[in-house]
């Protein structure tokens, strides 16, 4: 059995949206209802597809053991970070410190992995998580690099490979 899963998700990383509540009158009573705004549905779909594609080529069995996770979120750069010729400005930051919050980004990925029912029983099994949020380099696409390891003895290492743009 393979003890480590690594997969790349392409797209615009989104955080797990907050659940919204509303009251609906039913008869003489008001009943509280919850709903998900659906603003991250495309990103959830991308994460689920990348995970399933990874599981198809890996010998992974659902684990009940403690799990380590490492995620690098690669955010697209705003146009203000580049010059007219396309080169990066000297003042352009490396790390992304704007919304979405990193904890909401991680929560969405963990929720998608949990819903797959193929990696772990519950994301409470994650005993260590290393996450980074950075801007894409000139040769990267936006997305995420996710590594999940069921071998706690190996420790936790942030993936060093990048979301390379395909040659075309």
């Amino acid at each position: 059995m393979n003890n480590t899963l690594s997969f790349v998700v392409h797209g615009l990383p989104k955080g797990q949206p907050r659940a919204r509540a509303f009251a609906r009158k039913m008869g003489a009573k008001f009943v509280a209802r919850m709903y998900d705004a659906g603003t991250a549905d495309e990103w959830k779909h991308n994460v689920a597809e990348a995970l399933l594609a990874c599981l198809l080529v890996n010998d992974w069995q659902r684990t009940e053991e403690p799990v380590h996770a490492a995620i690098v979120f690669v955010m697209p750069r705003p146009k203000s970070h580049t010059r007219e010729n396309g080169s990066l400005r000297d003042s352009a930051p490396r790390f992304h410190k704007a919304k979405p919050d990193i904890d909401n980004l991680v929560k969405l990925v963990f929720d998608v992995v949990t819903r797959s029912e193929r990696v772990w029983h519950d994301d409470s099994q994650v005993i260590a998580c290393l996450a980074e949020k950075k801007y894409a380099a000139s040769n990267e696409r936006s997305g995420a690099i996710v590594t999940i390891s069921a071998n706690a003895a190996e420790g936790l290492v942030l993936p060093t490979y990048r979301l390379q743009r395909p040659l075309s």
Side-chain angles (χ1 to χ4, degrees):
M1 178 184 98
N2 191 351
N3 290 339
T4 302
L5 285 177
S6 287
F7 58 96
V8 174
V9 186
H10 295 289
L12 179 62
K14 299 270 187 165
Q16 178 65 32
R18 293 189 188 276
R20 302 291 180 192
F22 66 95
R24 173 172 279 161
K25 190 169 184 175
M26 297 190 140
K29 294 185 191 177
F30 281 93
V31 179
R33 297 283 185 223
M34 302 292 288
Y35 74 97
D36 184 342
T39 55
D41 288 349
E42 182 179 350
W43 178 243
K44 287 178 187 178
H45 176 76
N46 293 354
V47 173
E49 277 194 345
L51 171 63
L52 292 176
C54 176
L55 288 168
L56 286 174
V57 297
N58 283 282
D59 180 28
W60 180 272
Q61 293 181 10
R62 183 173 150 173
T63 184
E64 301 291 327
E65 298 300 315
V67 173
H68 288 163
I71 309 172
V72 177
F73 295 98
V74 181
M75 309 303 280
R77 284 194 178 272
K79 290 183 180 180
S80 63
H81 287 192
T82 56
R83 295 183 183 98
E84 286 184 23
N85 66 4
S87 64
L88 200 58
R89 293 184 187 275
D90 295 337
S91 61
R94 177 177 173 211
F95 295 104
H96 183 277
K97 56 184 184 178
K99 298 267 185 196
D101 298 346
I102 199 163
D103 57 325
N104 293 328
L105 291 166
V106 170
K107 178 159 182 43
L108 184 143
V109 171
F110 284 2
D111 287 352
V112 170
V113 172
T114 300
R115 274 189 223 111
S116 78
E117 299 181 346
R118 299 192 48 197
V119 176
W120 56 49
H121 172 69
D122 187 74
D123 56 6
S124 63
Q125 292 170 240
V126 179
I127 61 166
C129 176
L130 196 54
E132 179 180 300
K133 188 171 65 157
K134 67 179 193 124
Y135 283 112
S138 61
N139 62 342
E140 288 180 303
R141 296 169 61 185
S142 61
I145 304 160
V146 181
T147 301
I148 299 167
S149 177
N151 189 350
E154 288 181 12
L156 184 61
V157 178
L158 199 61
T160 56
Y161 52 90
R162 297 173 183 224
L163 291 167
Q164 300 293 326
R165 291 190 187 278
L167 298 173
S168 53

